[in-house]
Amino acid sequence: MKFRKISTAFLFAALASLPLAGWSPVSTASAAKIDPHTPVAKYGTVNTSVKPAGIKTFSDGGASLAYEGTGQQVSASQPTFNRVNPAGTGTVGTQSVIGTDQRTQVTNTTAFPYRAIAHIESDIGGCTGWMIGPRTVATAGHCVYDPGTRRWASWAKVYPGRNGSSTPYGYANAVNFFSVSGWVQNGDTNYDYAAIKLDKDIGNSTGWIGYRWQSGSMNGIAENISGYPGDKAYGTQWQHADQIRETYTLKLHYANDTYGGQSGSPVYESYHSSCGGPCSIAVHTNGVYGGNPYNRGTRITQTVYNNFNTWKAQ
């Protein structure tokens, strides 16, 4: 039998014309890098088309309104079941008291907005969060997903307004966790923010803190950080006021004293007219590192703001 020599070009063209099972060409759009702000969830998918009420839009920013809540407490303090170490313990830049510790304890955690600030316990560590809706808590990404072990928290209990063994609003259980691809896939601290969906409308009693974004520098804005540090009596809330010292595209820097366990705390203005009350401008995530003398948080940019709105509406 005689074989005819086939040119390489002819063979390539013939193979290219054949359909390949299980293969389809990748479009330019799908091959493009995924936006690190793309929202992701532990369970199910995120519906980005739904938006909550109470949203205000401006020419250079937007705001989600604060709500004081009814303040109604549960009939009796509910017992706590877990004692956890702060999330992120041992990692760079998770805790920083800058000089003399100037934090003061919040002794009346039932006052607004302190009752809307929550102690979070989970199997990946303790953190702080803040109510942004009836059953949604904003927090840091590393409070719900550990990029080192590549796993989500499997459970979380959220205690708004906790004061040691006193839990005046009881607690709510997490039913879903949200973050973004920049944190879940890459562990990039610039995208270290998240939210927890709860099993009850506990925020109707505690109220919730507003949040806003604006373009341009935020230097000089007076702000406060209040949360649940791991170096103080377990489950007690501590605060320290300062101002924004440095503004970056995705981060805000400040000199508030913080410690591990305060990750996820709101970096908030006591009052801003856009929110009609206390108004967060960042999520506290990191302490001092890299030669910079300040603590820092994930800035609430327009995209972060939009994701919080989306998660709140799920």
Side-chain angles (χ1 to χ4, degrees), residues 11-310:
L11 180 60
F12 179 81
L15 289 173
S17 67
L18 294 175
L20 300 181
W23 178 90
S24 60
V26 179
S27 68
T28 303
S30 62
K33 183 179 179 181
I34 297 175
D35 183 345
H37 283 293
T38 301
V40 294
K42 179 177 182 180
Y43 303 114
T45 58
V46 179
N47 183 355
T48 58
S49 66
V50 293
K51 300 298 178 188
I55 300 299
K56 297 168 66 176
T57 302
F58 312 101
S59 59
D60 62 343
S64 176
L65 298 177
Y67 172 61
E68 192 167 346
T70 65
Q72 182 176 358
Q73 301 178 29
V74 296
S75 57
S77 294
Q78 294 177 267
T80 59
F81 303 102
N82 308 282
R83 184 184 180 93
V84 296
N85 293 322
T89 298
T91 60
V92 64
T94 57
Q95 55 197 41
S96 291
V97 172
I98 303 172
T100 303
D101 189 353
Q102 299 184 62
R103 289 171 297 170
T104 58
Q105 185 175 356
V106 178
T107 55
N108 183 11
T109 59
T110 61
F112 185 71
Y114 303 112
R115 65 181 180 229
I117 298 172
H119 186 208
I120 301 171
E121 294 177 338
S122 82
D123 60 331
I124 61 174
C127 274
T128 301
W130 40 290
M131 303 300 301
I132 59 172
R135 57 174 63 197
T136 308
V137 179
T139 189
H142 68 265
C143 295
V144 305
Y145 184 87
D146 181 358
T149 58
R150 303 196 69 80
R151 71 183 183 94
W152 293 91
S154 62
W155 61 267
K157 291 183 181 296
V158 175
Y159 301 83
R162 184 175 188 169
N163 190 8
S165 61
S166 175
T167 55
Y169 304 97
Y171 68 88
N173 292 299
V175 295
N176 206 354
F177 301 96
F178 304 107
S179 190
V180 291
S181 59
W183 178 252
V184 172
Q185 294 181 5
N186 304 320
D188 188 335
T189 185
N190 286 319
Y191 306 97
D192 188 358
Y193 67 102
I196 302 173
K197 187 62 68 172
L198 305 176
D199 64 350
K200 63 181 69 172
D201 294 333
I202 199 168
N204 288 337
S205 296
T206 65
W208 51 82
I209 295 174
Y211 50 93
R212 71 182 185 90
W213 74 274
Q214 71 174 51
S215 57
S217 175
M218 304 187 91
N219 288 359
I221 291 178
E223 44 74 20
N224 189 44
I225 295 178
S226 197
Y228 291 86
D231 64 330
K232 302 293 186 181
Y234 190 73
T236 56
Q237 189 177 150
W238 294 73
Q239 66 176 339
H240 182 210
D242 190 57
Q243 62 179 294
I244 301 302
R245 304 301 183 103
E246 296 177 347
T247 300
Y248 297 92
T249 302
L250 299 175
K251 288 284 188 182
L252 295 179
H253 291 194
Y254 35 80
N256 305 70
D257 290 325
T258 63
Y259 202 83
Q262 288 186 258
S263 291
S265 298
V267 182
Y268 71 97
E269 300 165 279
S270 296
Y271 180 87
H272 194 279
S273 58
S274 297
C275 293
C279 197
S280 184
I281 54 177
V283 180
H284 175 63
T285 55
N286 299 101
V288 173
Y289 67 92
N292 187 290
Y294 300 122
N295 290 326
R296 60 204 75 185
T298 300
R299 180 181 181 177
I300 299 180
T301 62
Q302 183 176 12
T303 311
V304 175
Y305 168 85
N306 289 339
N307 279 337
F308 280 151
N309 290 342
T310 294

